[in-house]
Amino acid sequence: MIRISRALAVATATSLALAACSTGGTTAGTGATGAASVKPSSAAAVKGDGTLTIGTVLPQTGNLAYLGPPEFAGVDLALKEINDAGGVLGKPVAKIDTDSGDTTTNIASQSVDKLLGQKADAIIGAASSSVSESIVDKITRAGVVQFSPANTSDKFTTINDQGLYFRTAPPDKLQGRVLGDLVAADGNDTVAILAMQDSYGSGLADQVTKTAEEAGASVVERVDYDPKAAEFSADVAKVKAKNPKAIVLIGFEETAKVVQELVKQGLTTDKVKWYMVDGNMSNSNYLKMPKGTLKGVKGTIPGAAAPEAFQKRLLTVNPKLTNYTYAAESYDATILIALAAEAAKDDSGTALAPKLIEVSKGGEKCQDFKSCADLLKAGKDIDYDGVSGPVDFNDAGDPSVATIGVYQYDKDNKYDAAKALEYRKGNIAG
């Protein structure tokens, strides 16, 4: 499917009317979209009610549950700062939290129904690309903005989203290029890939393969496995038979079972180099394993590390945080939605969506909600530079430039989330 242009999205936004819908319960806001379906009309889009309502569909359960706390904290911190600065359009921003679960459940779809029923104007999430694929049509057809802090599947660049889908995480083609280069640069001329079989795993594996082979390495085996499988002995045996120098692991929580099988079959890190990605770079998933199991394993995570000052601010909303992955991207998503609503002078999804690109680049630079909002109120064009990076959306709703961090596990099976081996910046289109 071809993504409609943002210019067309603006025109489309002015030709949408919403069917009336009864929520059947208390609502935190009555944004113009709500749970109603969007249908063509010659009338102008219905304006929002003046209260920006942000919903979240982020992992409280499922195979990415470890990403939930930092993502929720990023949203909560942003909303605290927004409301402390006077809110949006003169009113506090309302928030409704829901669970995304994972692809083994229907939790995300049920959560979206709840959010649309309570008149959410924008929905932050999901973390999983496959989960987002399952709900993006329902959200965008309702005229609501979907904004993910963590989706990296390349599919979202060209998806038909009515101009209403955005993300602060870069597409996998950039992470895949960095990881493929890293594997080859480390002297691995034979590589095996174990990837979960979904849009995230397959897309990332494709890019790693392409880049590694262009750099002179040979991908001698690739296994796209079922992440719901009870065990992975046959998958690992296929890799072992090819005797690779490096193994790239692309998955989520189930990677712990894959790691146990690698160890069982003798493919330990002192014999074969392992590489991971953002979906399985966890500081909690491998702690019960013998010390040294992951020592020396390298992995990539999109975005710069959360600055220490930002981490301290996050701890004020969640003192138990130990992982900061995608916290900055979640924070920036929330700030950008609020600024777009201010710029549009309208909280409805169809009104604020075209303004998201405008507030992300091209104007006077600002780095927090209050200073950016003050500039908007003074009639200035703004360029919000976020904690996760400059953002600068392209016409596809992707950040045009992004940073990928390379991290390494120590003997305690943890990596230092605040200290990367290196950062590599790249242009998404390049």
Side-chain angles (χ1 to χ4, degrees):
M1 293 182 290
I2 303 300
R3 184 187 184 100
I4 64 172
S5 71
R6 294 288 165 173
L8 180 56
V10 178
T12 302
T14 64
S15 63
L16 299 175
L18 307 177
C21 176
S22 170
T23 64
T26 302
T27 60
T30 54
T33 53
S37 61
V38 178
K39 55 186 179 182
S41 169
S42 59
V46 178
K47 286 179 66 68
D49 68 340
T51 296
L52 176 63
T53 299
I54 294 178
T56 64
V57 56
L58 294 169
Q60 298 172 0
T61 61
N63 54 20
L64 283 182
Y66 77 95
L67 289 180
E71 290 173 342
F72 279 113
V75 173
D76 289 345
L77 176 61
L79 286 176
K80 179 180 184 301
E81 294 177 359
I82 291 165
N83 288 337
D84 284 350
V88 172
L89 304 175
K91 295 182 180 180
V93 178
K95 180 185 66 121
I96 309 163
D97 286 333
T98 67
D99 183 18
S100 65
D102 57 31
T103 55
T104 66
T105 68
N106 195 40
I107 291 173
S109 181
Q110 295 170 10
S111 293
V112 170
D113 288 341
K114 173 184 176 181
L115 294 174
L116 296 181
Q118 294 189 340
K119 308 294 186 181
D121 301 300
I123 293 175
I124 296 176
S128 161
S129 292
S130 291
V131 171
S132 280
E133 276 191 73
S134 73
I135 58 178
V136 63
D137 284 347
K138 181 181 289 191
I139 295 171
T140 57
R141 285 176 183 172
V144 173
V145 166
Q146 181 178 358
F147 200 138
S148 175
N151 288 166
T152 56
S153 171
D154 291 331
K155 288 186 178 181
F156 292 105
T157 299
T158 55
I159 202 165
N160 186 356
D161 62 1
Q162 314 303 316
L164 293 168
Y165 176 89
F166 294 81
R167 55 179 164 183
T168 35
D172 279 327
K173 60 184 175 182
L174 180 57
Q175 182 178 190
R177 288 201 301 264
V178 171
L179 186 56
D181 281 338
L182 176 66
V183 171
D186 282 349
N188 303 297
D189 55 6
T190 55
V191 183
I193 298 175
L194 280 160
M196 65 186 298
Q197 193 170 32
D198 74 347
S199 62
Y200 168 77
S202 299
L204 194 44
D206 288 345
Q207 186 62 59
V208 171
T209 299
K210 180 176 183 292
T211 304
E213 291 185 339
E214 287 175 349
S218 176
V219 176
V220 294
E221 183 63 72
R222 171 175 163 176
V223 179
D224 287 29
Y225 62 80
D226 178 1
K228 298 186 290 293
E231 52 89 31
F232 301 94
S233 58
D235 300 315
V236 171
K238 291 178 183 177
V239 167
K240 183 177 181 179
K242 297 300 176 67
N243 194 31
K245 289 184 180 178
I247 300 173
V248 177
L249 304 173
I250 302 173
F252 292 157
E253 189 179 51
E254 83 290 340
T255 300
K257 292 182 180 180
V258 177
V259 164
Q260 290 170 344
E261 189 61 40
L262 287 169
V263 172
K264 184 178 179 181
Q265 296 196 28
L267 299 174
T268 51
T269 57
D270 59 337
K271 298 176 181 177
V272 185
K273 293 178 182 177
W274 299 356
Y275 296 84
M276 293 185 176
V277 291
D278 60 312
N280 50 23
M281 286 289 289
S282 169
N283 271 338
S284 58
N285 206 21
Y286 315 107
L287 293 182
K288 294 182 180 180
M289 295 181 180
K291 285 194 173 186
T293 300
L294 269 70
K295 183 179 179 181
V297 173
K298 294 179 182 178
T300 50
I301 299 177
E308 186 175 349
F310 178 64
Q311 291 184 28
K312 290 180 179 178
R313 284 157 58 201
L314 288 168
L315 291 172
T316 65
V317 297
N318 184 354
K320 296 181 180 179
L321 271 187
T322 57
N323 175 26
Y324 300 94
T325 304
Y326 293 121
E329 287 79 2
S330 302
Y331 173 90
D332 286 342
T334 310
I335 296 290
L336 283 160
I337 290 168
L339 291 173
E342 279 283 352
K345 296 181 172 57
D346 188 335
D347 58 278
S348 67
T350 52
L352 71 87
K355 295 294 183 180
L356 279 165
I357 293 178
E358 290 184 25
V359 300
S360 76
K361 63 181 181 181
E364 186 171 338
K365 288 191 176 295
C366 51
Q367 297 179 323
D368 62 82
F369 175 77
K370 186 178 187 308
S371 62
C372 291
D374 287 345
L375 288 170
L376 286 172
K377 290 170 183 175
K380 302 289 183 66
D381 184 20
I382 66 167
D383 177 358
Y384 172 72
D385 279 356
V387 181
S388 65
V391 186
D392 289 2
F393 288 124
N394 58 26
D395 287 343
D398 294 336
S400 57
V401 178
T403 299
I404 306 294
V406 178
Y407 300 83
Q408 183 168 307
Y409 280 89
D410 60 23
K411 60 181 175 57
D412 294 322
N413 301 329
K414 296 176 66 176
Y415 68 93
D416 189 341
K419 190 180 297 182
L421 296 178
E422 63 174 303
Y423 290 109
R424 299 190 186 185
K425 293 185 178 180
N427 189 302
I428 302 301

